[in-house]
Amino acid sequence: MDAHNFSLALVNANVLTTDAALPSAESVAVAGDRIATVGSWPDIRGLISKSTSIIDCQRLTLLPGFIDAHIHLSGLARRLRDLDCGPARAPCIAALQKLVRNQAVTQAAGSWVHGHGYDDRRMADGRHPSRWDLDVAAPEHPVWLEHRSGHAAALNSRAMELAGIHCYTPDPPGGVIERDPNTGEPTGVLYEMHGFLRGRLGNVRGPEEFETGMRAAGNLLNRYGITSVQDAGADNGIERWRTFRRLQSDGVLKCRITMFAGTERLGEFEDAGLVFGCGDAQLRLGHAKIMLTLTSGALYPSAKELSSLLAEAHRRGFPVAIHCIEEEAIVAAAEALSANSIPGLVDRIEHCAEGTPIAAQAVKRSGAAVVTNPGFIYHNGAAYREDVEEELLPHLYPTSALHRADVAVAFGSDAPVIDPNPWKAIYSAVTRRDAGGTALNSESVDAQRVTVEDALRMHTAAGAEVEGNSQAKGSITAGKLADFVLVNADPLAVGEEELPEIEAVMTVVGGNVVWSNV
């Protein structure tokens, strides 16, 4: 290759490629937005020209850019802007009320107070805040607080009125309006109703607030070395696609995005001439998203309806990504996928939280890939030990069991439910321990661990594979996109307890440095 084609060279590095054909190297050369060659310093020294930018990595470790295979960018943007109501700040209802009250007095009457992260199980009161609790805190403002999980919300009376939720409002499909058992009055606590609220309320945030949150989300991803994300919004439509395109064009978001499509919105993409895999290296159309829940006590959608949704998505050329938490939902999804598989389309199961042996075998038979969330163990381990049945603990987010069953496994954060820092997830996948260093289930730690090498691959190369784009990214391989993260420690050399403390030093997307702390 001619020297003038090298725009960037990263030299004197400990390169961990996640490419089995060449697992390690010391130098990488870039031409445009692609990797030109990977090897030793002598391999590229004679090809570097005066116009080549050279980065001396000082023997730090260079990895492929991380791929977060399941994230909610809009939700992350909101949480970075909204009132933090997490357990550390709101250990009880009274403390939560104080937070909301203090926020409300800074805003004009009638403006929305948005908060996130409250956790009823960690509150001393042991319950969700009711609409009446929130009325006391902010009588002149509509209040919308999202639960830590992202699957519940608490609204005050003014917000409920604006959303048109009253005593006789029926539960929407798949959602639940909690009601006082004595009066039947809605309490303000809603389950699986985010889409319903969006439909009723529309966009309750101004464009400036939205863009500020998105910029903060993009900066956070850059700082963590995450160069590609897969946005898993179940209601993503053509307008969301256009919004992401604009945010990338304006430099607000510098990461690559593969965007899921809501199953009810597939016609919008078809009308725009877009099918699975359309787009470019920056923005790509991904799987069709299906939510399969047990919130109302029964599977929603039903097995028959699920098969119909699968068949329609496949007919339009889209593989599906099915949200499944409970064992029953995982098995139902796997059975539906087994009966509706299409050669060449790799379907996915998202989360696979209760990955029991029965569930894991059903997934294996289906041929689906799994995108799971070991970072939940890091952040929620203490809560799981307290709230989850002992016999189920060994099977929560069972990365190793799925891997041993030859199921393709990739990692996603599900941010904003948890922080998207990849190293926390890698640590918990390797150790099955939480942020405090305590094992999720001491008797089964060894059976559920994966190696550091496997965990790194699940957060890089496997992420590209499960989106159907492994030819373009996921490893440091000549011809692939020049997406890298330089980190301050070698994950293969440090002790397991040091993995969560590893930090990015520099992040490169398409041969351009998008973040650096040097």
Side-chain angles (χ1 to χ4, degrees):
M1 181 172 290
D2 294 335
H4 67 270
N5 286 330
F6 281 11
S7 52
L8 174 69
L10 298 103
V11 303
N12 191 29
N14 171 37
V15 184
L16 303 180
T17 67
T18 73
D19 181 349
L22 182 67
S24 62
E26 64 178 13
S27 298
V28 180
V30 175
D33 67 348
R34 297 277 171 169
I35 299 169
T37 189
V38 183
S40 65
W41 171 237
D43 291 335
I44 69 170
R45 180 172 51 194
L47 300 174
I48 291 176
S49 71
K50 292 181 179 179
S51 64
T52 304
S53 296
I54 300 176
I55 296 175
D56 183 352
C57 297
Q58 301 180 32
R59 296 306 302 163
L60 295 178
T61 296
L62 189 70
L63 300 167
F66 286 113
I67 297 174
D68 191 321
H70 187 113
I71 196 171
H72 301 272
L73 283 173
S74 294
L76 180 59
R78 289 194 302 270
R79 292 212 173 180
L80 292 172
R81 285 276 301 172
D82 288 352
L83 178 65
D84 181 1
C85 300
R89 303 190 71 211
C92 61
I93 299 292
L96 179 63
Q97 288 174 310
K98 184 177 180 180
L99 288 174
V100 172
R101 183 180 300 112
N102 290 343
Q103 180 64 31
V105 298
T106 70
Q107 300 181 192
S111 62
W112 282 85
V113 174
H114 295 282
H116 72 88
Y118 84 86
D119 190 342
D120 57 305
R121 294 185 176 183
R122 305 276 77 79
M123 284 184 172
D125 312 77
R127 65 175 176 84
H128 293 266
S130 71
R131 75 186 207 190
W132 302 288
D133 294 322
L134 299 177
D135 288 347
V136 171
E140 298 182 357
H141 298 74
V143 178
W144 180 346
L145 305 183
E146 291 197 21
H147 189 265
R148 174 197 60 78
S149 66
H151 295 285
L155 276 62
N156 71 348
S157 295
R158 185 169 288 238
M160 295 278 283
E161 183 178 353
L162 291 171
I165 300 174
H166 304 288
C167 186
Y168 299 107
T169 303
D171 289 353
V176 174
I177 301 171
E178 184 183 84
R179 304 173 194 272
D180 184 292
N182 297 316
T183 66
E185 283 286 334
T187 66
V189 179
L190 310 175
Y191 298 94
E192 301 292 359
M193 289 181 57
H194 189 272
F196 175 91
L197 291 173
R198 290 293 174 200
R200 288 289 183 94
L201 295 168
N203 187 2
V204 297
R205 299 169 191 270
E208 182 178 343
E209 181 183 6
F210 172 77
E211 184 162 318
T212 299
M214 276 295 190
R215 190 177 296 276
N219 289 341
L220 182 68
L221 297 174
N222 294 341
R223 181 162 61 86
Y224 284 156
I226 298 169
T227 57
S228 291
V229 300
Q230 294 164 34
D231 187 88
D235 60 348
N236 283 345
I238 193 65
E239 285 306 314
R240 181 63 54 84
W241 172 270
R242 291 168 179 158
T243 296
F244 283 149
R245 178 69 79 189
R246 176 180 61 80
L247 292 171
Q248 289 179 324
S249 297
D250 293 346
V252 174
L253 292 175
K254 298 176 181 177
C255 62
R256 306 185 193 280
I257 302 171
T258 294
M259 192 191 85
F260 287 10
T263 51
E264 296 182 359
R265 315 294 287 275
L266 296 181
E268 297 178 17
F269 294 102
E270 195 170 74
D271 291 344
L274 296 171
V275 296
F276 174 73
C278 275
D280 53 31
Q282 284 299 111
L283 181 62
R284 185 173 181 272
L285 190 57
H287 287 59
K289 176 72 177 292
I290 298 174
M291 295 289 294
L292 184 61
T293 68
L294 281 165
T295 306
S296 62
L299 281 175
Y300 179 81
S302 68
K304 182 178 180 180
E305 292 167 330
L306 176 62
S307 291
S308 178
L309 288 170
L310 282 172
E312 178 62 14
H314 285 168
R315 184 187 71 78
R316 294 176 183 267
F318 284 83
V320 299
I322 308 177
H323 164 104
C324 300
I325 301 297
E326 304 86 356
E327 179 191 55
E328 181 181 344
I330 297 166
V331 172
E335 290 176 348
L337 291 171
S338 295
N340 291 276
S341 63
I342 298 291
L345 292 183
V346 178
D347 298 305
R348 293 168 40 162
I349 290 177
E350 309 296 299
H351 308 303
C352 200
E354 297 182 3
T356 63
I358 291 173
Q361 286 304 308
V363 173
K364 179 180 181 179
R365 289 192 298 271
S366 76
V370 167
V371 174
T372 191
N373 320 107
F376 280 22
I377 296 172
Y378 183 88
H379 292 280
N380 302 327
Y384 292 151
R385 288 192 298 275
E386 180 179 334
D387 300 333
V388 176
E389 296 176 2
E390 179 71 22
E391 59 269 24
L392 186 56
L393 285 173
H395 308 300
L396 292 181
Y397 305 100
T399 305
S400 180
L402 293 167
H403 185 53
R404 292 196 307 272
D406 293 325
V407 174
V409 180
F411 291 167
S413 66
D414 202 24
V417 179
I418 61 170
D419 181 77
N421 187 330
W423 294 106
K424 315 299 186 184
I426 289 169
Y427 166 79
S428 288
V430 170
T431 67
R432 296 287 290 180
R433 298 181 183 275
D434 63 18
T438 303
L440 188 59
N441 179 272
S442 59
E443 295 180 1
S444 62
V445 167
D446 289 342
Q448 291 291 12
R449 292 160 56 104
V450 297
T451 66
V452 176
E453 292 92 335
D454 282 338
L456 286 171
R457 191 180 185 284
M458 291 170 183
H459 228 324
T460 54
E465 290 166 4
V466 299
E467 74 166 76
N469 203 18
S470 59
Q471 77 283 355
K473 57 187 178 182
S475 65
I476 300 179
T477 304
K480 292 191 177 184
L481 292 163
D483 299 346
F484 316 113
V485 56
L486 187 68
V487 297
N488 63 355
D490 181 350
L492 303 185
V494 302
E496 292 176 349
E497 69 283 355
E498 298 176 70
L499 290 171
E501 308 308 318
I502 295 177
E503 295 181 345
V505 173
M506 180 181 296
T507 303
V508 177
V509 177
N512 296 307
V513 176
V514 297
W515 184 86
S516 174
N517 69 353
V518 294

